[in-house]
Structure formats: C-alpha cells, structure tokens
Amino acid sequence: MSRPSFSLYWCRCETVYLTPTPTTADFTAMYVHAEQFSSEAYIDEDRIELILEFLTGRLRFMTSNMTYEKNGPSILEIGAGNAWMCRAAKSLFQEPRTVAQDVTTEVADRCPWADEYLVSSVADLCVDEKFDVISLTHVFEHVPDPTETLRLLRPLLKPSGRIFITMPYRPAGLLHPMSRADWMAYSYLHVPAHLQYLSERSMHRLADRTDLAVTFWDASSEGGDACEVHLALAV
C-alpha cells in the first residue's frame, strides 16, 4: 500500500468514509493483481447456496412489477466476481440476458451463467444496450466516486429497471457512529478496500444528484451489518 495507515471519519450526512483515498497503484494492487476469489468465502458450497437463495428472492421481488422480455429480464452485474446475480437469474428465468463486468480476469472464464463477461472499468464499459437490473452486490463500498459511478450506469438502465445495491452498513446494533471497539470488531471493516459506509440519507442525496430515486432501503440485511438499496430512474 502507498501508506501505512488510513483514517475513518463520520460525516454529518451519516456517511463513514476512509481518508485519504487509496492511490491508483493501490487499487491496481488490490483488484487487478491480487487473487480475490479463491478464499473459502467464495468456494464454500453451503455459503454459495445461501447467497443464491438470497439473490433469487431479491430478484423475484424486484422484477415482480417490471416489464421485461418473455424469456426473462436483462441483467448487468458490476464488479461481478463469480457473477452470482447472473447465476441467480439463470436459475429463476427461462432465458435471461446476463452480462458480468469486473476489472480482473481472475474468474472471467469460470462463470458460464454469464452470457458475456467483460473485463473493463465501468468508465470504459462498452455495451450498446439497456438492462432491467444493474446489480452491485458488495461493490459500492469499493467505489472511489459513487456519484460518477451512478452517472455512468444510469444511461444503461431501462425505464422500468432497477439498480440493486447491497453493501456494508454499520456494525449491527451500533448506537454511536464512531465507537472504536464496535468498528474494530466489525467483520466488514476492510481497510483500505472499503472506502465508505453510506447511509439512507446519503443514498438519497446521491440519487438526487444523478437523476435517480431510492425506491427501497433496508438496513437489516445480514443481521444488520449490511444494507440493501434499489434505485430507479427519477420521474
């Protein structure tokens, strides 16, 4: 890493954020050159089954009032890794269109449930289509500029589509935002990989700045350690 230590700060918008932002070299070392998807968390079959069960349920919920092609909705999974949202879509619908994106080639050839696996940054993503669901599962906390990321993804969303986000939120049951003991024990305290822990208030502000609207917020995921957000095109 470019420095030996980083700090977490609490903002009045209720966001907890890392400072300073890691350098480009840091990001490359963490996400392009490092092996990310070989640990037990990514290969344990029981855990994968639970993840797929969760994603299938959320996908069914999101698409229940959505207009999409007869064979299934189109899915774009950002920071896909093993592309579990694409896999959930393939198990739920007859023939959904599934596209995965990540900045690393590590598992790009191991996800047959992704019709396409694009190795690219979001800024350089070359897709000439719109999607019913754009999924970022435990990705948004890694994004150095959340506003710019949403601005880039918004044009790829269909009129009735949803951006689906899950991300670390707070240590469960935390009353004071900067209780050091609680944060030090938090399983999602990943320094310097996790750049921010957003709140409902900050998500609404992000949505307003990017012509999107928060249609769903739930801070009880994973026992309260994570949250789930759905975004739609603003009316």
Side-chain angles (χ1 to χ4, degrees):
M1 290 296 101
S2 59
R3 57 186 291 118
S5 64
F6 295 81
S7 299
L8 284 177
Y9 282 87
W10 165 261
C11 174
R12 284 182 295 178
C13 69
E14 301 171 359
T15 295
V16 177
Y17 67 92
L18 185 83
T19 188
T21 302
T23 66
T24 299
D26 291 337
F27 286 121
T28 300
M30 286 189 288
Y31 303 128
V32 178
H33 295 158
E35 194 173 79
Q36 300 178 66
F37 305 110
S38 60
S39 69
E40 186 67 21
Y42 292 97
I43 60 176
D44 180 76
E45 291 298 329
D46 291 337
R47 182 174 182 271
I48 293 172
E49 184 177 348
L50 289 174
I51 291 171
L52 293 175
E53 181 181 349
F54 169 75
L55 292 177
T56 300
R58 303 320 293 153
L59 193 54
R60 183 183 290 110
F61 172 74
M62 273 190 298
T63 58
S64 59
N65 294 311
M66 189 181 290
T67 301
Y68 52 82
E69 296 295 326
K70 182 175 69 172
N71 289 338
S74 53
I75 311 293
L76 172 61
E77 187 166 1
I78 300 296
N82 290 302
W84 284 324
M85 180 60 91
C86 291
R87 185 171 172 180
K90 289 292 187 182
S91 71
L92 185 59
F93 300 100
Q94 182 179 349
E95 197 174 343
R97 165 78 172 146
T98 57
V99 178
Q101 172 275 338
D102 211 314
V103 295
T104 173
T105 61
E106 184 181 346
V107 292
D109 60 350
R110 302 183 212 166
C111 303
W113 38 84
D115 297 328
E116 289 187 66
Y117 200 115
L118 307 176
V119 179
S120 163
S121 68
V122 173
D124 296 326
L125 193 60
C126 293
V127 290
D128 189 23
E129 59 185 301
K130 294 180 183 288
F131 297 87
D132 296 297
V133 175
I134 299 176
S135 174
L136 300 92
T137 58
H138 282 266
V139 171
F140 214 51
E141 66 273 18
H142 299 273
V143 172
D145 190 340
T147 301
E148 181 62 15
T149 297
L150 291 181
R151 284 181 177 149
L152 291 169
L153 294 177
R154 187 188 185 281
L156 304 179
L157 191 64
K158 287 185 179 180
S160 67
R162 293 291 184 272
I163 296 176
F164 172 78
I165 298 172
T166 61
M167 57 189 171
Y169 176 58
R170 301 283 187 272
L174 181 61
L175 298 177
H176 189 281
M178 293 306 290
S179 169
R180 180 178 176 83
D182 284 329
W183 277 92
M184 292 302 291
Y186 186 31
S187 63
Y188 284 128
L189 181 63
H190 295 171
V191 176
H194 289 182
L195 307 181
Q196 61 267 320
Y197 301 85
L198 297 170
S199 65
E200 183 175 9
R201 181 179 174 187
S202 55
M203 281 306 306
H204 277 279
R205 293 177 64 177
L206 274 172
D208 289 342
R209 288 200 294 266
T210 53
D211 292 323
L212 294 164
V214 176
T215 62
F216 182 87
W217 167 271
D218 177 36
S220 64
S221 293
E222 300 180 40
D225 282 346
C227 63
E228 176 183 344
V229 190
H230 302 177
L231 302 172
L233 298 177
V235 178

